[in-house]
């Protein structure tokens, strides 16, 4: 600056403004795109200290946002100058995975169809890749399906098939061998109700066959399962 006095004399003076460089602040997310429930690591660089919008002060932070979120970090260099950087984590929705069994309860030896919905592709714990599978479990079994949506995100769903035991059906004839014209009493056990091949519905029937004959009884248990 040139200063001119009232007497028209002049003198110069100087002042220097020193400009310090900002830190080379950067931030990046890996991976930058995740599915709901997954995590991403966001890393900052370029300075001596860091302060994230989450309150963290480390160079790297692990985040699991529920929705797409932008994270901001303030980077402070050795010269105490600061600069901010941002990194965005994009969150993709999971498929609306569901599974159901029809019927959900079967008797031993019967089948159930288990169906999955909500995605583009399916993978069952049985190895099947169709939306529906037919199963005949020997005991109560839970089936798991991994559903993959169009965005490649996955979600699992389960369906349980309850298996009811068959009645302990038995039938015996007394006597088992007769002469023509004689009778035998055939008795069934193991269930709540009985239906014979003769049409009888009692636990025991008296028969007088003319030739050697096999009689069949269908025994129905309390759980409504049947066995012959």
């Amino acid at each position: 600056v040139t200063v001119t006095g009232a007497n028209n004399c002049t003198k110069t003076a100087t002042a220097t403004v020193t400009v310090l460089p900002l830190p080379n602040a950067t931030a990046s997310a890996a991976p930058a795109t995740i599915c709901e429930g997954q995590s991403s690591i966001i890393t900052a660089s370029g300075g001596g200290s860091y302060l994230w919008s989450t309150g963290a002060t480390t160079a790297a932070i692990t985040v699991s946002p529920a929705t797409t979120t932008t994270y901001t970090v303030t980077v402070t260099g050795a010269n105490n100058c600061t600069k901010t950087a941002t990194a965005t984590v994009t969150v993709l929705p999971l498929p609306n995975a569901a599974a159901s069994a029809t019927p959900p309860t079967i008797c031993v030896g019967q089948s159930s169809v288990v169906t999955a919905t909500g995605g583009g592709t399916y993978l069952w714990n049985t190895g099947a890749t169709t939306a529906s599978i037919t199963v005949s479990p020997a005991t109560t079994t839970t089936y798991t399906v991994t559903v993959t949506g169009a965005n490649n995100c996955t979600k699992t769903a389960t369906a349980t098939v309850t298996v009811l035991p068959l009645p302990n059906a038995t039938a015996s004839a007394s006597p088992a061998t007769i002469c023509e014209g004689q009778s035998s009493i055939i008795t069934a056990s193991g269930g709540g109700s009985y239906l014979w091949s003769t049409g009888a519905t009692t636990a025991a029937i008296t028969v007088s066959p003319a030739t050697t004959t096999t009689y069949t009884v269908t025994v129905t248990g309390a759980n409504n399962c049947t066995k012959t």
Side-chain angles (χ1 to χ4, degrees):
V1 62
T2 299
V3 181
T4 303
N7 58 8
N8 210 33
C9 291
T10 62
K11 186 177 182 182
T12 59
T14 61
T16 300
V17 178
T18 301
V19 180
L20 304 177
L22 300 182
N24 186 24
T26 63
S28 60
T33 300
I34 62 174
C35 300
E36 284 183 50
Q38 294 180 338
S39 297
S40 177
I41 297 175
I42 308 179
T43 304
S45 62
S49 64
Y50 306 92
L51 177 60
W52 292 92
S53 49
T54 63
T57 57
T58 52
I61 59 173
T62 301
V63 296
S64 299
T67 59
T68 298
T69 303
T70 298
Y71 296 87
T72 301
V73 62
T74 300
V75 180
T76 302
N79 59 11
N80 213 35
C81 289
T82 61
K83 186 178 180 182
T84 60
T86 61
T88 298
V89 178
T90 301
V91 181
L92 304 178
L94 301 184
N96 188 24
S100 61
T102 305
T105 301
I106 61 174
C107 300
V108 173
Q110 293 180 338
S111 297
S112 177
V113 177
V114 187
T115 302
T117 59
T121 62
Y122 305 92
L123 178 59
W124 294 90
N125 57 342
T126 63
T129 56
T130 53
S132 295
I133 58 174
T134 300
V135 296
S136 299
T139 59
T140 297
T141 303
T142 297
Y143 295 88
T144 301
V145 61
T146 300
V147 180
T148 302
N151 59 10
N152 213 36
C153 290
T154 61
K155 186 177 181 182
T156 59
T158 60
T160 299
V161 178
T162 301
V163 181
L164 304 178
L166 302 183
N168 187 23
T170 62
S172 60
S174 181
T177 302
I178 60 174
C179 297
E180 286 185 46
Q182 293 180 337
S183 298
S184 176
I185 298 176
I186 308 179
T187 304
S189 64
S193 63
Y194 305 91
L195 177 60
W196 292 91
S197 50
T198 63
T201 57
T202 53
I205 59 174
T206 300
V207 295
S208 298
T211 58
T212 298
T213 303
T214 297
Y215 296 87
T216 300
V217 62
T218 300
V219 181
T220 302
N223 59 11
N224 213 36
C225 290
T226 61
K227 184 177 181 183
T228 58

